[in-house]
Amino acid sequence: EAGVTQFPSHSVIEKGQTVTLRCDPISGHDNLYWYRRVMGKEIKFLLHFVKESKQDESGMPNNRFLAERTGGTYSTLKVQPAELEDSGVYFCASSQEGRNTIYFGEGSWLTVV
Amino acid sequence: EDQVTQSPEALRLQEGESSSLNCSYTVSGLRGLFWYRQDPGKGPEFLFTLYSAGEEKEKERLKATLTKKESFLHITAPKPEDSATYLCAVQGPGGFKTIFGAGTRLFVKA
């Protein structure tokens, strides 16, 4: 069974540009999460989808970040315009309905220069 | 505020030298405590979920235990391939938002 897949694995963009990260959850997982780890910090929660609905977006840092999950399948996280402090690893994770154990992807490493 | 503190930050062991990693947590109403393993450049790999004080789970050389205030990850006779960062995380009553600790970096020397 395929795990959580993320694309791209690495990206380097200039300050002010836009980047879109994609996540495909484990098949059948209704819950999808985005997390982020910036340099030297713990992994931090960004938001949680249940199917196509945003259940909790309390961790989104500001309105430069936009997450979508159209159709309740894959999700995208757009950063526009990117700032230097957005550099870090963006992890996507998923879990089954009613189950609280979450499974992570390999992460998308973002560097803003 | 929910909080997770892991200690030590780093641990160096000789192959076969057993030890324990600590995870202290503060959460109002624990829904679950999780242990993950993370290798460099990879995502966290799920190891265990613990739900209530007194619970224990084992997998190969790893054993996780839980009390009302902390969890331990015991590593018995570690091997070099056990070298990784071990992450502890908790979920409180507010939903599926998971709070992570900073991790313990384990180095096992042959």
Side-chain angles (χ1 to χ4, degrees), chain A residues 9 19-21 43-45 55 61-64 68-69 75 107 113:
Chain A
S9 57
V19 63
T20 300
L21 311 177
I43 296 173
K44 295 283 191 184
F45 169 85
Q55 188 74 14
N62 51 61
N63 59 10
R64 295 186 294 103
E68 295 180 322
R69 192 182 182 195
S75 174
V113 296

PDB file of all heavy atoms in Angstrom, chain A residues 9 19-21 43-45 55 61-64 68-69 75 107 113:
ATOM      1  N   SER A   9       9.889  17.215  -3.670  1.00  0.00           N
ATOM      2  CA  SER A   9      10.645  16.843  -2.479  1.00  0.00           C
ATOM      3  C   SER A   9      11.529  18.007  -2.038  1.00  0.00           C
ATOM      4  O   SER A   9      11.778  18.162  -0.836  1.00  0.00           O
ATOM      5  CB  SER A   9      11.484  15.599  -2.738  1.00  0.00           C
ATOM      6  OG  SER A   9      12.360  15.801  -3.831  1.00  0.00           O
ATOM      7  N   VAL A  19       5.009  29.230  -4.334  1.00  0.00           N
ATOM      8  CA  VAL A  19       5.293  27.796  -4.408  1.00  0.00           C
ATOM      9  C   VAL A  19       4.029  27.039  -4.015  1.00  0.00           C
ATOM     10  O   VAL A  19       3.285  27.477  -3.129  1.00  0.00           O
ATOM     11  CB  VAL A  19       6.472  27.402  -3.493  1.00  0.00           C
ATOM     12  CG1 VAL A  19       6.157  27.651  -2.029  1.00  0.00           C
ATOM     13  CG2 VAL A  19       6.876  25.957  -3.722  1.00  0.00           C
ATOM     14  N   THR A  20       3.776  25.969  -4.700  1.00  0.00           N
ATOM     15  CA  THR A  20       2.633  25.106  -4.383  1.00  0.00           C
ATOM     16  C   THR A  20       3.135  23.701  -4.098  1.00  0.00           C
ATOM     17  O   THR A  20       3.817  23.097  -4.931  1.00  0.00           O
ATOM     18  CB  THR A  20       1.617  25.076  -5.537  1.00  0.00           C
ATOM     19  OG1 THR A  20       1.141  26.398  -5.789  1.00  0.00           O
ATOM     20  CG2 THR A  20       0.428  24.183  -5.180  1.00  0.00           C
ATOM     21  N   LEU A  21       2.810  23.212  -2.926  1.00  0.00           N
ATOM     22  CA  LEU A  21       3.191  21.874  -2.504  1.00  0.00           C
ATOM     23  C   LEU A  21       1.975  20.968  -2.621  1.00  0.00           C
ATOM     24  O   LEU A  21       0.855  21.375  -2.314  1.00  0.00           O
ATOM     25  CB  LEU A  21       3.697  21.897  -1.058  1.00  0.00           C
ATOM     26  CG  LEU A  21       4.741  22.967  -0.726  1.00  0.00           C
ATOM     27  CD1 LEU A  21       5.094  22.911   0.768  1.00  0.00           C
ATOM     28  CD2 LEU A  21       5.976  22.794  -1.583  1.00  0.00           C
ATOM     29  N   ILE A  43       8.393  20.163  15.115  1.00  0.00           N
ATOM     30  CA  ILE A  43       7.356  20.039  14.099  1.00  0.00           C
ATOM     31  C   ILE A  43       6.080  20.683  14.643  1.00  0.00           C
ATOM     32  O   ILE A  43       5.650  20.391  15.763  1.00  0.00           O
ATOM     33  CB  ILE A  43       7.098  18.555  13.771  1.00  0.00           C
ATOM     34  CG1 ILE A  43       8.349  17.922  13.150  1.00  0.00           C
ATOM     35  CG2 ILE A  43       5.904  18.415  12.832  1.00  0.00           C
ATOM     36  CD1 ILE A  43       8.254  16.419  12.940  1.00  0.00           C
ATOM     37  N   LYS A  44       5.496  21.574  13.821  1.00  0.00           N
ATOM     38  CA  LYS A  44       4.314  22.326  14.269  1.00  0.00           C
ATOM     39  C   LYS A  44       3.123  22.055  13.356  1.00  0.00           C
ATOM     40  O   LYS A  44       3.258  22.010  12.135  1.00  0.00           O
ATOM     41  CB  LYS A  44       4.603  23.831  14.255  1.00  0.00           C
ATOM     42  CG  LYS A  44       5.660  24.277  15.234  1.00  0.00           C
ATOM     43  CD  LYS A  44       5.138  24.354  16.640  1.00  0.00           C
ATOM     44  CE  LYS A  44       6.130  25.062  17.552  1.00  0.00           C
ATOM     45  NZ  LYS A  44       5.682  25.075  18.957  1.00  0.00           N
ATOM     46  N   PHE A  45       1.971  21.927  13.955  1.00  0.00           N
ATOM     47  CA  PHE A  45       0.722  21.710  13.248  1.00  0.00           C
ATOM     48  C   PHE A  45       0.342  22.960  12.456  1.00  0.00           C
ATOM     49  O   PHE A  45       0.465  24.087  12.948  1.00  0.00           O
ATOM     50  CB  PHE A  45      -0.362  21.393  14.278  1.00  0.00           C
ATOM     51  CG  PHE A  45      -1.760  21.388  13.741  1.00  0.00           C
ATOM     52  CD1 PHE A  45      -2.290  20.265  13.136  1.00  0.00           C
ATOM     53  CD2 PHE A  45      -2.564  22.518  13.871  1.00  0.00           C
ATOM     54  CE1 PHE A  45      -3.595  20.257  12.670  1.00  0.00           C
ATOM     55  CE2 PHE A  45      -3.874  22.517  13.412  1.00  0.00           C
ATOM     56  CZ  PHE A  45      -4.387  21.385  12.801  1.00  0.00           C
ATOM     57  N   GLN A  55     -11.055  21.347   9.109  1.00  0.00           N
ATOM     58  CA  GLN A  55     -11.534  21.092  10.459  1.00  0.00           C
ATOM     59  C   GLN A  55     -10.877  22.014  11.473  1.00  0.00           C
ATOM     60  O   GLN A  55     -11.488  22.439  12.443  1.00  0.00           O
ATOM     61  CB  GLN A  55     -11.238  19.635  10.822  1.00  0.00           C
ATOM     62  CG  GLN A  55     -11.834  19.154  12.109  1.00  0.00           C
ATOM     63  CD  GLN A  55     -13.322  18.922  11.993  1.00  0.00           C
ATOM     64  OE1 GLN A  55     -13.868  18.871  10.889  1.00  0.00           O
ATOM     65  NE2 GLN A  55     -14.005  18.816  13.108  1.00  0.00           N
ATOM     66  N   PRO A  61       0.240  30.141   9.721  1.00  0.00           N
ATOM     67  CA  PRO A  61       0.950  31.314  10.256  1.00  0.00           C
ATOM     68  C   PRO A  61       0.354  32.656   9.835  1.00  0.00           C
ATOM     69  O   PRO A  61       0.354  33.592  10.635  1.00  0.00           O
ATOM     70  CB  PRO A  61       2.373  31.157   9.714  1.00  0.00           C
ATOM     71  CG  PRO A  61       2.363  30.017   8.770  1.00  0.00           C
ATOM     72  CD  PRO A  61       1.085  29.311   8.836  1.00  0.00           C
ATOM     73  N   ASN A  62      -0.123  32.763   8.625  1.00  0.00           N
ATOM     74  CA  ASN A  62      -0.688  34.033   8.140  1.00  0.00           C
ATOM     75  C   ASN A  62      -1.409  33.780   6.814  1.00  0.00           C
ATOM     76  O   ASN A  62      -1.480  32.651   6.338  1.00  0.00           O
ATOM     77  CB  ASN A  62       0.427  35.072   7.960  1.00  0.00           C
ATOM     78  CG  ASN A  62       1.574  34.545   7.132  1.00  0.00           C
ATOM     79  OD1 ASN A  62       1.401  34.192   5.963  1.00  0.00           O
ATOM     80  ND2 ASN A  62       2.760  34.442   7.728  1.00  0.00           N
ATOM     81  N   ASN A  63      -1.952  34.862   6.243  1.00  0.00           N
ATOM     82  CA  ASN A  63      -2.777  34.684   5.052  1.00  0.00           C
ATOM     83  C   ASN A  63      -1.966  34.502   3.770  1.00  0.00           C
ATOM     84  O   ASN A  63      -2.529  34.464   2.675  1.00  0.00           O
ATOM     85  CB  ASN A  63      -3.766  35.837   4.897  1.00  0.00           C
ATOM     86  CG  ASN A  63      -3.072  37.184   4.785  1.00  0.00           C
ATOM     87  OD1 ASN A  63      -1.850  37.241   4.634  1.00  0.00           O
ATOM     88  ND2 ASN A  63      -3.828  38.250   4.863  1.00  0.00           N
ATOM     89  N   ARG A  64      -0.658  34.377   3.895  1.00  0.00           N
ATOM     90  CA  ARG A  64       0.139  34.028   2.716  1.00  0.00           C
ATOM     91  C   ARG A  64       0.079  32.529   2.430  1.00  0.00           C
ATOM     92  O   ARG A  64       0.518  32.078   1.376  1.00  0.00           O
ATOM     93  CB  ARG A  64       1.599  34.457   2.909  1.00  0.00           C
ATOM     94  CG  ARG A  64       1.773  35.972   3.016  1.00  0.00           C
ATOM     95  CD  ARG A  64       3.241  36.377   3.070  1.00  0.00           C
ATOM     96  NE  ARG A  64       3.898  35.910   4.283  1.00  0.00           N
ATOM     97  CZ  ARG A  64       4.719  34.875   4.342  1.00  0.00           C
ATOM     98  NH1 ARG A  64       4.990  34.176   3.237  1.00  0.00           N
ATOM     99  NH2 ARG A  64       5.290  34.534   5.491  1.00  0.00           N
ATOM    100  N   GLU A  68      -5.804  23.765   0.226  1.00  0.00           N
ATOM    101  CA  GLU A  68      -7.054  23.315  -0.393  1.00  0.00           C
ATOM    102  C   GLU A  68      -7.046  21.795  -0.501  1.00  0.00           C
ATOM    103  O   GLU A  68      -5.988  21.176  -0.596  1.00  0.00           O
ATOM    104  CB  GLU A  68      -7.221  23.941  -1.785  1.00  0.00           C
ATOM    105  CG  GLU A  68      -7.383  25.444  -1.764  1.00  0.00           C
ATOM    106  CD  GLU A  68      -7.547  26.038  -3.148  1.00  0.00           C
ATOM    107  OE1 GLU A  68      -6.880  25.563  -4.076  1.00  0.00           O
ATOM    108  OE2 GLU A  68      -8.345  26.973  -3.293  1.00  0.00           O
ATOM    109  N   ARG A  69      -8.236  21.249  -0.527  1.00  0.00           N
ATOM    110  CA  ARG A  69      -8.374  19.803  -0.718  1.00  0.00           C
ATOM    111  C   ARG A  69      -9.680  19.562  -1.482  1.00  0.00           C
ATOM    112  O   ARG A  69     -10.658  19.061  -0.950  1.00  0.00           O
ATOM    113  CB  ARG A  69      -8.391  19.048   0.606  1.00  0.00           C
ATOM    114  CG  ARG A  69      -8.232  17.531   0.413  1.00  0.00           C
ATOM    115  CD  ARG A  69      -8.291  16.783   1.708  1.00  0.00           C
ATOM    116  NE  ARG A  69      -8.087  15.355   1.483  1.00  0.00           N
ATOM    117  CZ  ARG A  69      -8.363  14.416   2.379  1.00  0.00           C
ATOM    118  NH1 ARG A  69      -8.861  14.744   3.563  1.00  0.00           N
ATOM    119  NH2 ARG A  69      -8.137  13.154   2.099  1.00  0.00           N
ATOM    120  N   SER A  75      -4.242  17.205  -1.601  1.00  0.00           N
ATOM    121  CA  SER A  75      -4.276  18.555  -1.060  1.00  0.00           C
ATOM    122  C   SER A  75      -3.096  19.356  -1.612  1.00  0.00           C
ATOM    123  O   SER A  75      -2.061  18.785  -1.965  1.00  0.00           O
ATOM    124  CB  SER A  75      -4.195  18.521   0.465  1.00  0.00           C
ATOM    125  OG  SER A  75      -4.097  19.823   1.014  1.00  0.00           O
ATOM    126  N   GLY A 107       8.066  14.640   3.298  1.00  0.00           N
ATOM    127  CA  GLY A 107       8.268  16.065   3.440  1.00  0.00           C
ATOM    128  C   GLY A 107       8.651  16.760   2.143  1.00  0.00           C
ATOM    129  O   GLY A 107       9.202  16.142   1.227  1.00  0.00           O
ATOM    130  N   VAL A 113      15.182  32.043  -0.882  1.00  0.00           N
ATOM    131  CA  VAL A 113      16.440  32.805  -0.884  1.00  0.00           C
ATOM    132  C   VAL A 113      16.213  34.271  -1.324  1.00  0.00           C
ATOM    133  O   VAL A 113      15.159  34.570  -1.898  1.00  0.00           O
ATOM    134  CB  VAL A 113      17.492  32.140  -1.800  1.00  0.00           C
ATOM    135  CG1 VAL A 113      17.859  30.767  -1.269  1.00  0.00           C
ATOM    136  CG2 VAL A 113      16.977  32.073  -3.244  1.00  0.00           C
TER     137      VAL A 113
END
